[in-house]
Amino acid sequence: MVKEETKPYPKLVSTKDGKKGICLILNYFTYPKEKDINGKLVDMNRYGTDKDANDLKALFEEMQFKVILQRDLTLEQTINMLKEGKNACL
């Protein structure tokens, strides 16, 4: 019998010590239409994602994180936002 190697759980961020960070939520609702099997263009938008994003925002604000919520960024905007977030955390 081969023993499987277990990995330790990652360290979780504590919110009890007063050190709060930034929570960046990138919400992508709008997607290009795609053709279905009959060739008809179908809406591929992610309905319900706004509720999910707002629920996450409320949760992290309750834990006293600074929340930045962005919606439907382009690839370039997403990369810039991630770079800005990284620099803000350093």
Side-chain angles (χ1 to χ4, degrees):
M1 183 168 158
V2 176
K3 182 180 176 185
E4 290 185 30
E5 184 179 327
T6 59
K7 295 180 181 179
Y9 289 106
K11 183 177 179 185
L12 299 177
V13 176
S14 171
T15 59
K16 295 180 182 179
D17 62 4
K19 294 180 183 176
K20 307 301 184 273
I22 298 171
C23 174
L24 175 60
I25 301 170
L26 301 175
N27 182 22
Y28 296 95
F29 169 83
T30 306
Y31 281 82
K33 291 185 177 189
E34 293 185 10
K35 289 184 179 181
D36 66 10
I37 59 172
N38 298 317
K40 180 181 175 186
L41 285 178
V42 178
D43 185 359
M44 299 302 293
N45 292 341
R46 295 180 57 229
Y47 294 96
T49 190
D50 287 329
K51 180 185 182 321
D52 294 340
N54 289 327
D55 288 348
L56 280 171
K57 183 177 186 283
L59 175 67
F60 279 92
E61 285 176 340
E62 187 177 314
M63 293 189 295
Q64 300 177 353
F65 281 79
K66 177 182 177 185
V67 177
I68 301 169
L69 174 58
Q70 296 291 318
R71 185 177 195 250
D72 287 336
L73 298 179
T74 64
L75 175 60
E76 184 178 346
Q77 291 170 326
T78 299
I79 291 169
N80 289 335
M81 181 61 60
L82 292 172
K83 286 179 181 177
E84 289 174 25
K86 178 183 174 187
N87 292 336
C89 294
L90 297 178

